[in-house]
Amino acid sequence: MHYWVVVPELNYIYKPAASGCQGFDSRSFRWAQTMRFAIKEINEDPSLLPNITLGYKIYDSCATHVAALRATLSVLNGRKEVSSMMCSGASPVKAIIGDSGSSQSIVVSRTLQPFKIPMISYFSSCACLANRNEYPTFFRTIPNDYYQVKAIVQLVKHFGWTWVGGISEDDEYGRSAFQELHKEFKKIGVCFAYYEIIPKVYSRKKILDILDIIKKSSAKVVIMFGGEGELYPLLTEYVQQNITGIQWIASEAWITASLFSPREFYPSLGGTMGFAIRKGEIPGLKDFLLKVHPSLYPDNALVKELWSTIFGCAFQPSNITDQSVKELPLCTGHESIEEKFSVYIDVSGLRISYNVYKAVYAVAHSLHNLINCEPGKGPFDNFTCADISNIKPFQLQHYIQEVSFTIFGEEINFDNKGDPIASYDLMNWQRNTDGTIRFVTVGLYDVSKGVGKELVINENMLNFNGDQTKVPSSVCTESCPPGTRKGIRRGEPLCCFDCLPCADGEISDQTDSIECIQCPEDFWSNAERTECISKEIEYLTYDEMGATLTVIALFGACLTIGVLAVFLHYKNTPIVRVNNSELSFFILLSLALCFLSSIAFIGQPANWSCMFRHTVFSITFSLCISCILGKTVVVLMAFKATQPGSNIMKWFGPIQQRIMISACTSVQIIICAIWLIAMPPFPSKNTKYQSSKIILECDVGSTLAFWCVLGYIGVLACMCFVLAFLARKLPGNFNEAKLITFSMLIFCAVWIAFIPAYVSSPGKYTVAVEIFAILSSSFGLLFCIFAPKCYIILLKPEKNTKQYIMGK
Ligand code: TRP
């Protein structure tokens, strides 16, 4: 019936004084009165325990286990405390109603254990007390905190809070609740920003420390488990410091605590939510409570304390010498408790009182059953019943475990752990018209409703802290958008994370993804990393580059045909005739084909185009170089033949020339044929170079064959170059050999430059480089060999004479 004790100084010099209880709790006083009321009702009830009068003794444990232990020992050693002869003998006590707080109940239960005296608590909710091995005689009419924790977890989940603070009183009740909360929160990914414990012994420094932590933390939702007496110092300091913006979640012990209903608590504590024990009604209780008056119980100090607390008066003039303390007026005894509103008299929400009432009735019904046991059908050894004149406590325990009865339509019984069925009201602290706090029921948590349906919230009625209707947010890190994933921060709880963008080729399509998903083959992530899109396919088409190259190739081909036309037209002029007109025509034709062959490289690679492009290119080039080679040989030999006695020229007539050219070209044709038969080039998808693109290219099939083909052209070109080089000094104004040397130089330079460019250029540029090499070497040949002749034919016809060409 008091909130706390003042522990006296303990030393060995004098006998320790009894610890003094302080802070009268008129709510608990009402609970005690409810017990008296229930016993009176039972005693007056002719159907329940007829001819038997229940007696009782009430002890105040002052919310501490020390006082609870003292009371228990007093009960067990009954005689010293009670002078009544009726109740003498070993343990006249059959059952205990209480204790209130869990830590007190634990002490009481442990002390009672050897005597097997059953106890029914009305307020000890700690889940630890459900352990039948440790507390075999413990029952309660308040639901196990196991369910309250489940309810709070659902509430937190419902509002999407993932980052919460925790504060508890320093005992089993607080600690075991938070242990359970930790476990449950871990499952749904909610973290505690902090967990602080208010020490049992008042320490202002610790309270200021805790408030500091609350203020500094980003957690805006704080769960607090504790009795009102324990929390009072913290919450008053909290209100004085004007801290706002904290959404409190209260445990059942303080969610309907009248201590915090005064006006000054409103702005700071308004909106507090929590689960309260279901309420009940006890008809007639109010009248009973009103009968309590100091004049009726002149020796009872508690009644006087009640009076002092309600009316703010004193029964004795205080002997305080301190002038600053205002003296209280004397109580007259004529004050009316009916007129002055007080927690004591407020029976609108009987929750714990109702639990007390049920507990008393449970004992009475059990006793009733025990007494009405039919001999020979009893529950004990050999079907015996208990001896009424000597009831053993364990026998009553058996009946309490089995008891089942109804009060106002509500069925009451205990499960095998001594717990009742759990159901709670969801409460919300709102503002009364007079500025005080009103506890409004805004929902329900009922375990019997079935999994997932337990919690019902009437959200329209809900007010959050600061009179808000919007759900406050309490998260450590805002959620990660799609396209990113959660990255753990070392040394911090899981709820605090960084949002890391997904890597290339990976996506996350949900908020708060833990991992990014790799896109399937042929797919790639979009820029936002939220979707896999099919990879871009790249090859050289008729885009700007492809089109330009095509135009150049066509232009080259036309130019070659043009030159051919000029040559045909002037085929009888000396300059054409002297230059081996047949070979020139061949060269021009094959050059035209070279230009055209480059076009085969443009477009999407297909099976046929891959085979076609390489073979056509290599054969046309071999043909062209073979012709030039033939020409060089003829030039060289023609001059050698001028020496007397030589008939070499016989071996280099037009027929031999043709044979030579076809032989040289056939070698290339054979290489190509082998290549195509053995390991032909084929189209392939290259994803290695750039993972975001699929490059469609022609795989050469056999690299060896590819380099053989190129190498053969290179060999032909080199031979041509060497021979032309030997012939470059030969006399004559129009020295063909010089031009060929020069053209071969350009040709070789282009192809040597091509090799590194080809190997290192990516994707479609490889093909472009190849086309470029083909075009530039063809242009090189065309210009070097034919430009000077065309110049003379078209612009300087006067030089187109035998004399001029033969020179000196
Ligand atoms: N249900 C709480 C408990 O089991 C009630 C409570 C908490 C309490 N602190 C208290 C009761 C202090 C009395 C005193 O402990």
Side-chain angles (χ1 to χ4, degrees):
M1 281 168 277
H2 290 86
Y3 287 118
W4 60 86
V5 286
V6 181
V7 186
E9 199 188 344
L10 298 174
N11 63 28
Y12 60 91
I13 301 171
Y14 44 81
K15 190 180 167 194
S19 30
C21 295
Q22 281 198 351
F24 184 77
D25 182 357
S26 36
R27 185 175 166 217
S28 321
F29 189 73
R30 184 180 68 217
W31 303 343
Q33 295 307 323
T34 311
M35 170 162 161
R36 287 183 59 224
F37 174 74
I39 291 177
K40 183 171 156 275
E41 250 186 17
I42 293 164
N43 284 341
E44 286 168 1
D45 185 344
S47 59
L48 191 58
L49 289 175
N51 302 326
I52 287 187
T53 309
L54 288 182
Y56 62 88
K57 264 189 89 170
I58 297 175
Y59 290 85
D60 184 4
S61 65
C62 301
T64 45
H65 45 276
V66 185
L69 181 62
R70 183 190 291 267
T72 318
L73 294 176
S74 297
V75 171
L76 292 173
N77 300 308
R79 279 180 55 173
K80 270 185 200 148
E81 286 280 331
V82 202
S83 48
S84 156
M85 295 308 286
M86 231 169 64
C87 298
S88 62
S91 177
V93 171
K94 301 296 170 232
I96 286 176
I97 307 294
D99 198 344
S100 152
S102 295
S103 46
Q104 292 93 284
S105 287
I106 287 172
V107 172
V108 175
S109 177
R110 289 229 164 104
T111 319
L112 290 178
Q113 206 166 323
F115 309 98
K116 302 210 164 58
I117 298 175
M119 61 187 283
I120 306 182
S121 172
Y122 49 89
F123 203 13
S124 300
S125 51
C126 178
C128 52
L129 281 162
N131 184 342
R132 263 282 176 255
N133 291 333
E134 282 196 59
Y135 311 102
T137 62
F138 182 81
F139 297 91
R140 55 183 155 198
T141 48
I142 186 170
N144 187 334
D145 272 345
Y146 173 81
Y147 297 103
Q148 190 184 175
V149 164
K150 292 239 157 177
I152 290 178
V153 168
Q154 280 208 15
L155 187 76
V156 167
K157 192 173 161 189
H158 178 87
F159 290 118
W161 296 318
T162 57
W163 185 235
V164 297
I167 298 174
S168 86
E169 61 181 36
D170 188 9
D171 60 13
E172 280 76 5
Y173 167 65
R175 286 173 192 267
S176 76
F178 273 95
Q179 218 167 43
E180 201 61 34
L181 272 175
H182 256 293
K183 239 192 280 168
E184 293 290 321
F185 276 165
K186 209 167 186 183
K187 286 188 208 157
I188 59 164
V190 176
C191 311
F192 276 111
Y194 53 85
Y195 170 51
E196 290 299 318
I197 296 176
I198 306 171
K200 275 273 171 205
V201 180
Y202 175 76
S203 144
R204 188 174 150 83
K205 182 179 174 299
K206 179 70 193 174
I207 283 177
L208 292 180
D209 284 351
I210 295 178
L211 288 178
D212 225 39
I213 291 171
I214 296 179
K215 272 188 284 186
K216 290 208 180 110
S217 169
S218 56
K220 291 291 163 234
V221 171
V222 183
I223 303 175
M224 185 146 77
F225 268 73
E228 41 187 321
E230 264 86 356
L231 306 186
Y232 190 74
L234 179 88
L235 287 180
T236 40
E237 187 70 45
Y238 172 80
V239 170
Q240 270 164 25
Q241 290 197 12
N242 252 337
I243 307 172
T244 49
I246 297 292
Q247 171 65 43
W248 291 98
I249 295 185
S251 72
E252 101 297 338
W254 69 283
I255 185 65
T256 53
S258 49
L259 219 46
F260 306 120
S261 55
R263 196 176 287 138
E264 60 268 24
F265 286 98
Y266 181 74
S268 326
L269 293 184
T272 297
M273 265 190 263
F275 292 95
I277 312 304
R278 298 302 290 278
K279 67 178 175 188
E281 255 166 64
I282 309 174
L285 179 65
K286 181 150 186 177
D287 293 333
F288 184 81
L289 294 177
L290 288 175
K291 280 196 200 116
V292 173
H293 194 275
S295 61
L296 283 178
Y297 306 93
D299 297 333
N300 194 320
L302 288 171
V303 178
K304 284 185 186 154
E305 271 194 81
L306 173 72
W307 229 251
S308 311
T309 317
I310 296 179
F311 300 107
C313 60
F315 279 87
Q316 274 171 358
S318 57
N319 46 1
I320 306 170
T321 42
D322 188 350
Q323 291 297 313
S324 63
V325 177
K326 237 176 85 192
E327 225 172 83
L328 294 173
L330 278 183
C331 299
T332 60
H334 296 298
E335 296 89 355
S336 159
I337 50 171
E338 196 170 1
E339 275 160 28
K340 173 138 180 148
F341 177 85
S342 69
V343 183
Y344 170 68
I345 215 72
D346 179 17
V347 291
S348 60
L350 295 175
R351 297 173 193 274
I352 307 303
S353 306
Y354 190 55
N355 276 353
V356 173
Y357 189 74
K358 288 194 277 192
V360 176
Y361 265 89
V363 173
H365 278 279
S366 309
L367 263 179
H368 185 87
N369 294 346
L370 181 143
I371 289 165
N372 289 341
C373 167
E374 269 184 62
K377 286 187 184 165
F380 305 114
D381 285 350
N382 296 327
F383 305 106
T384 51
C385 289
D387 174 8
I388 297 171
S389 58
N390 185 16
I391 301 170
K392 299 272 178 342
F394 80 86
Q395 293 170 326
L396 182 58
Q397 146 109 11
H398 172 85
Y399 281 97
I400 294 178
Q401 181 70 69
E402 303 291 303
V403 80
S404 176
F405 59 99
T406 49
I407 291 181
F408 309 124
E410 185 188 346
E411 189 171 326
I412 288 154
N413 49 25
F414 302 102
D415 67 9
N416 56 6
K417 288 177 177 164
D419 287 337
I421 298 165
S423 78
Y424 296 94
D425 282 336
L426 176 61
M427 308 300 288
N428 187 211
W429 290 14
Q430 296 179 9
R431 194 189 165 93
N432 251 340
T433 38
D434 62 354
T436 56
I437 293 180
R438 185 163 53 122
F439 309 131
V440 184
T441 310
V442 292
L444 196 70
Y445 184 87
D446 192 346
V447 174
S448 58
K449 289 262 167 64
V451 184
K453 293 190 197 126
E454 300 102 332
L455 184 63
V456 181
I457 306 180
N458 188 347
E459 291 198 37
N460 307 335
M461 285 171 70
L462 209 60
N463 259 357
F464 295 96
N465 184 264
D467 255 336
Q468 279 188 17
T469 44
K470 206 180 123 250
V471 183
S473 107
S474 189
V475 292
C476 183
T477 314
E478 292 296 336
S479 57
C480 288
T484 61
R485 68 171 174 86
K486 287 183 181 182
I488 299 168
R489 288 192 199 151
R490 274 183 166 262
E492 283 187 50
L494 279 180
C495 302
C496 302
F497 42 78
D498 294 315
C499 295
L500 307 173
C502 289
D504 284 352
E506 292 186 344
I507 57 148
S508 73
D509 51 1
Q510 281 160 352
T511 42
D512 278 341
S513 311
I514 296 171
E515 278 180 332
C516 295
I517 317 160
Q518 180 82 43
C519 283
E521 217 194 327
D522 294 354
F523 285 86
W524 197 247
S525 47
N526 59 357
E528 296 81 39
R529 307 275 186 271
T530 51
E531 253 184 306
C532 285
I533 45 173
S534 32
K535 281 185 188 175
E536 199 185 314
I537 294 182
E538 196 191 77
Y539 54 82
L540 188 62
T541 51
Y542 296 98
D543 54 5
E544 296 93 355
M545 188 163 59
T548 318
L549 290 172
T550 314
V551 168
I552 295 172
L554 289 176
F555 170 73
C558 294
L559 197 65
T560 319
I561 303 293
V563 174
L564 183 63
V566 169
F567 268 53
L568 279 175
H569 190 253
Y570 293 97
K571 67 173 183 287
N572 292 324
T573 58
I575 202 151
V576 179
R577 291 185 59 199
V578 80
N579 272 308
N580 203 337
S581 53
E582 191 190 52
L583 276 180
S584 293
F585 295 151
F586 264 131
I587 292 174
L588 283 170
L589 267 179
S590 58
L591 261 182
L593 284 180
C594 284
F595 276 118
L596 293 178
S597 77
S598 68
I599 296 174
F601 286 80
I602 302 172
Q604 182 171 356
N607 253 327
W608 67 268
S609 73
C610 278
M611 293 197 264
F612 184 73
R613 55 173 73 161
H614 282 110
T615 38
V616 164
F617 146 76
S618 52
I619 292 170
T620 48
F621 260 76
S622 317
L623 177 66
C624 183
I625 307 283
S626 308
C627 295
I628 297 173
L629 181 66
K631 193 167 189 165
T632 321
V633 171
V634 171
V635 169
L636 197 64
M637 291 309 147
F639 279 93
K640 286 260 161 70
T642 51
Q643 284 157 10
S646 148
N647 58 350
I648 298 174
M649 262 333 266
K650 262 218 302 257
W651 300 103
F652 292 93
I655 297 185
Q656 285 84 347
Q657 283 171 21
R658 277 178 220 152
I659 291 173
M660 193 183 94
I661 290 168
S662 359
C664 288
T665 314
S666 322
V667 173
Q668 186 71 299
I669 291 173
I670 290 166
I671 298 178
C672 283
I674 296 172
W675 184 12
L676 288 190
I677 291 164
M679 288 175 95
F682 56 89
S684 80
K685 290 175 179 174
N686 179 347
T687 50
K688 265 176 244 118
Y689 178 72
Q690 245 184 332
S691 15
S692 64
K693 284 180 185 168
I694 300 179
I695 299 170
L696 275 188
E697 57 181 20
C698 281
D699 191 303
V700 289
S702 156
T703 339
L704 176 72
F706 176 69
W707 289 112
C708 277
V709 162
L710 284 191
Y712 182 69
I713 298 176
V715 168
L716 286 183
C718 286
M719 271 164 59
C720 198
F721 173 67
V722 172
L723 293 181
F725 186 77
L726 292 178
R728 77 188 187 287
K729 287 265 174 66
L730 294 177
N733 249 356
F734 194 79
N735 191 350
E736 181 95 78
K738 227 184 251 163
L739 296 175
I740 292 177
T741 315
F742 198 55
S743 72
M744 281 303 128
L745 257 180
I746 291 181
F747 185 86
C748 291
V750 166
W751 284 99
I752 287 170
F754 158 78
I755 294 171
Y758 180 81
V759 172
S760 63
S761 53
K764 60 179 182 183
Y765 299 105
T766 329
V767 184
V769 164
E770 202 167 348
I771 296 177
F772 190 77
I774 295 173
L775 293 181
S776 51
S777 56
S778 307
F779 273 117
L781 296 182
L782 183 66
F783 278 110
C784 289
I785 301 179
F786 295 99
K789 293 176 191 142
C790 288
Y791 173 74
I792 290 173
I793 293 172
L794 297 174
L795 300 177
K796 291 271 173 359
E798 71 277 6
K799 289 192 177 168
N800 198 353
T801 60
K802 214 169 180 175
Q803 285 78 9
Y804 178 78
I805 289 161
M806 297 307 266
K808 298 150 200 158

